[in-house]
Amino acid sequence: MTTNPHIRADRLNVYYGREQALKNISIGIPANRITAIIGPSGCGKSTLLKSFNRLLETNEQVTISGSVSVDGENIYGQGVEVTAVRKKMGLLSQRPYPLPMSIYDNVAFGPRLYGIKKKQALDELVERHLKQSSLWQEVHHRLNDPASSLSIGQQQRLCLARGLAVEPEIILGDEPTSALDPASSQRIEQRFLELKNDYTIIIVTHILRQARRLADYIIFLYMGEVIEAGPAREIFEHPKEKMTREYINGTIS
Amino acid sequence: MNRLRTVRDTIASRGMALITVASGGVLFLIILGLFLKSRPILASGSFFGLMASSNWHPLKGEFGFLPFIAGTLWTTGTALIIAVPPCILTAIYLSEYASKRMRQAAAPFIDLLAGLPSVIYGIWGVLAVVPLIKNHIAPACGVSSSGYSILAGGIVLAIMIVPVIIHVIHEVLRTIPVELREASLALGASKWQTVRQVVLRKALPGVIAAVVLGLSRAFGETMAVLMVAGNVARVPGSIFDPAYPLPALIANNYGEMLSVPLYDSALMLASLVLLIIVVIFNIFSRLILKTVERRVC
């Protein structure tokens, strides 16, 4: 485990109704690295990811115990403002969900929430973040078109730009390339590799090759428990646990 | 064997096509029938002359439809203004804020309201709404009113269309994916910001459709309005004046006054006009819907 993690979960338990989805999770996520959460479907990968920006609690049947600290502060503590926690993180979901408004307004949505109103400042932000997600070239002449008029791959990059525009510290990706074609996936991966200098990136993926390509750090989950966590090279080359070895070799899925 | 199946298939598809066309044809036949029956009165004056005249003196042979058209538009408009805002808020509450238990408790009540016979609403209007307006609301506004008024008709109509509108908006809100809400929340938007700027925007075409459904019901609703609106054939000047909507005119007089020359023809024309108003509003709302869908979704 790294010495000074950006996010740390401590004895985190999550229940959906009576069913326990995460069991006693204690892990640290290193800053300015790409961490991949891997494991078979239904093992709690997305749940773990959503516990980091408190999206779990929108479901009224969820109960959570334990703590998650970001920058040393427990985000589940009393008096913590949930919107401030979420502002620190940009989220990319499995499929892009563009907001029902124009391309421009999608990117400007976050900044506007935080009180940026001047057109010039917004224009500048929108351009910068669309460039950062390598979408600017394709859309700069039609920023006022509805976001839904973009292709799925473009929409996912728009969602990335939208997330970056709130100037987060952390990027969360929940299988962010699973709905995309290979070329679009590659573009997103390329973005991640460039963005990790400035951001802590956490992705959930069930594609082992993607984890190999991107991740510096791996968390392997199985049935809601962390089986093994550590630097990617160690996990892929010298897994300590038998189960990790079997998963990586494809004997369990 | 195979041949028999093909034959059956053809019969089934032709049969269903025929039934579909027939149900569309009924509407056409109704329009045609109303038009033929209203030809005598149309021969007595120009269509627009009849629509624009406010003189309704059947015994003198004067048939001006303006009071009834105005009465219909006034009561329906009042009902919509009263009904739509609370409907949107209730639907938002049920779909976004209420606990599951609350939602399950409220839904049957709303559906029950939608199923009540309109005469019950009418009686309630006569017993409760009309005195309320006469004794409290009108004096508070500095006017005197018998209580039998557009406002009474509007309130009763509003209560009647509320369950329908809430139900449809609620269904529309439920079709909006959780992930869209999460996308907005993840950007740091509060719940209310998410509802207002994302969920409602996405639902706008559906909300419009729900309002149109309510509108169509309000236009045609006869019994409850007839009981409380006052039924005076004069163009109303305020919501405290009585009104005489088209359906009330038709229901009150058809079969009673037919000894008066041209009267039955006038009622047929009133039906035709009501039908045309509903059709025009439907076309109009479809156009709005198309523009909104293009702009938003």
Side-chain angles (χ1 to χ4, degrees):
Chain A
M1 190 167 291
T2 44
T3 44
N4 196 10
H6 198 166
I7 302 179
R8 180 194 286 283
D10 201 16
R11 277 165 292 164
L12 179 69
N13 289 287
V14 174
Y15 299 82
Y16 288 109
R18 287 219 180 118
E19 202 179 321
Q20 189 163 13
L22 291 180
K23 294 171 191 159
N24 211 25
I25 304 248
S26 295
I27 42 152
I29 307 254
N32 293 46
R33 294 281 182 277
I34 298 181
T35 299
I37 304 172
I38 61 171
S41 338
C43 69
K45 300 188 297 282
S46 298
T47 304
L48 181 59
L49 192 80
K50 283 183 179 174
S51 73
F52 295 155
N53 71 347
R54 290 186 56 176
L55 268 184
L56 286 179
E57 61 208 72
T58 55
N59 181 335
E60 61 179 280
Q61 298 186 325
V62 166
T63 43
I64 301 164
S65 72
S67 73
V68 174
S69 308
V70 178
D71 299 322
E73 191 195 11
N74 180 12
I75 60 169
Y76 287 99
Q78 271 190 336
V80 172
E81 203 164 332
V82 65
T83 52
V85 171
R86 290 183 184 145
K87 184 187 182 300
K88 285 188 179 176
M89 312 187 202
L91 175 73
L92 272 185
S93 49
Q94 293 188 13
R95 295 176 46 80
Y97 283 93
L99 303 174
M101 45 189 86
S102 71
I103 296 169
Y104 183 99
D105 289 338
N106 260 274
V107 185
F109 185 82
R112 280 186 179 132
L113 291 176
Y114 300 109
I116 300 176
K117 295 245 159 62
K118 288 214 178 86
K119 195 178 176 311
Q120 205 186 344
L122 285 173
D123 286 352
E124 191 270 323
L125 270 169
V126 169
E127 181 174 344
R128 179 149 50 92
H129 293 295
L130 283 173
K131 280 181 175 161
Q132 211 176 0
S133 27
S134 69
L135 191 59
W136 178 255
Q137 281 299 322
E138 294 153 63
V139 302
H140 66 95
H141 56 284
R142 52 175 184 133
L143 291 173
N144 289 321
D145 286 7
S148 55
S149 66
L150 299 172
S151 73
I152 297 283
Q154 288 172 326
Q155 285 183 16
Q156 192 64 311
R157 275 178 285 149
L158 178 68
C159 291
L160 180 61
R162 180 178 74 189
L164 292 174
V166 301
E167 313 207 314
E169 305 166 5
I170 299 160
I171 298 170
L172 306 174
D174 187 359
E175 301 188 15
T177 62
S178 63
L180 307 184
D181 59 84
S184 303
S185 304
Q186 207 191 347
R187 289 185 118 146
I188 293 278
E189 289 187 9
Q190 197 57 40
R191 288 295 97 200
F192 281 165
L193 289 171
E194 285 161 29
L195 290 166
K196 77 170 178 180
N197 296 319
D198 303 311
Y199 302 89
T200 299
I201 299 175
I202 307 164
I203 57 166
V204 162
T205 182
H206 62 264
I207 311 167
L208 277 171
R209 271 177 299 168
Q210 186 174 51
R212 275 183 209 269
R213 282 194 298 267
L214 296 179
D216 303 300
Y217 197 83
I218 299 280
I219 295 166
F220 174 51
L221 279 184
Y222 192 79
M223 308 274 281
E225 285 179 272
V226 175
I227 305 298
E228 195 168 350
R233 183 171 295 169
E234 274 178 33
I235 300 268
F236 281 120
E237 286 169 17
H238 309 289
K240 292 191 188 77
E241 300 290 328
K242 181 164 165 278
M243 218 179 237
T244 317
R245 198 156 49 236
E246 285 176 349
Y247 181 69
I248 288 171
N249 295 333
T251 18
I252 54 169
S253 58
Chain B
M1 187 62 198
N2 228 338
R3 199 188 154 77
L4 189 64
R5 290 207 312 178
T6 338
V7 170
R8 275 192 191 149
D9 197 45
T10 315
I11 292 173
S13 83
R14 293 267 165 84
M16 288 185 283
L18 191 73
I19 294 168
T20 311
V21 170
S23 55
V26 169
L27 177 67
F28 177 74
L29 285 179
I30 290 175
I31 294 176
L32 186 70
L34 288 176
F35 177 71
L36 290 178
K37 287 273 197 175
S38 48
R39 268 193 13 209
I41 185 137
L42 284 170
S44 78
S46 80
F47 177 76
F48 291 103
L50 288 169
M51 292 306 118
S53 159
S54 52
N55 296 319
W56 181 263
H57 304 294
L59 292 174
K60 290 194 237 161
E62 292 175 359
F63 296 95
F65 286 89
L66 192 60
F68 309 100
I69 296 172
T72 292
L73 295 179
W74 272 84
T75 43
T76 306
T78 310
L80 277 190
I81 290 168
I82 297 172
V84 170
C87 283
I88 293 178
L89 293 175
T90 308
I92 288 175
Y93 173 72
L94 286 178
S95 102
E96 311 293 319
Y97 291 90
S99 67
K100 202 172 168 191
R101 194 181 296 169
M102 177 73 189
R103 221 176 4 247
Q104 282 169 345
F109 274 106
I110 293 169
D111 292 346
L112 181 70
L113 278 179
L116 282 189
S118 64
V119 69
I120 293 180
Y121 286 99
I123 297 226
W124 169 77
V126 172
L127 293 178
V129 181
V130 168
L132 182 75
I133 293 171
K134 182 183 176 199
N135 300 327
H136 299 284
I137 299 178
C141 298
V143 285
S144 74
S145 166
S146 67
Y148 291 92
S149 57
I150 290 169
L151 186 59
I155 290 173
V156 171
L157 263 186
I159 305 281
M160 292 183 67
I161 62 177
V162 154
V164 182
I165 300 181
I166 290 178
H167 189 99
V168 177
I169 297 180
H170 182 48
E171 289 298 318
V172 169
L173 292 177
R174 280 168 46 133
T175 63
I176 293 174
V178 182
E179 290 86 349
L180 185 68
R181 296 179 175 90
E182 288 184 345
S184 166
L185 293 172
L187 292 168
S190 67
K191 195 160 187 175
W192 177 235
Q193 284 170 324
T194 300
V195 167
R196 216 164 32 113
Q197 299 180 27
V198 178
V199 177
L200 266 188
R201 237 185 122 93
K202 185 80 180 174
L204 195 57
V207 172
I208 294 174
V211 172
V212 171
L213 205 66
L215 191 76
S216 302
R217 176 148 193 216
F219 271 135
E221 174 48 42
T222 309
M223 184 50 77
V225 187
L226 179 153
M227 291 167 78
V228 299
N231 303 337
V232 176
R234 204 180 326 121
V235 177
S238 88
I239 54 169
F240 294 108
D241 286 351
Y244 206 160
L246 285 164
L249 170 75
I250 300 161
N252 263 349
N253 296 302
Y254 195 78
E256 303 250 328
M257 310 281 282
L258 297 187
S259 55
V260 180
L262 283 181
Y263 206 117
D264 69 322
S265 184
L267 291 181
M268 290 300 150
L269 185 58
S271 316
L272 188 61
V273 168
L274 183 61
L275 213 144
I276 290 171
I277 291 178
V278 171
V279 170
I280 287 176
F281 267 85
N282 264 294
I283 293 172
F284 199 60
S285 58
R286 252 160 217 275
L287 289 178
I288 297 174
L289 212 62
K290 282 266 181 284
T291 355
V292 170
E293 271 174 350
R294 229 191 352 256
R295 236 192 44 219
V296 177
C297 300

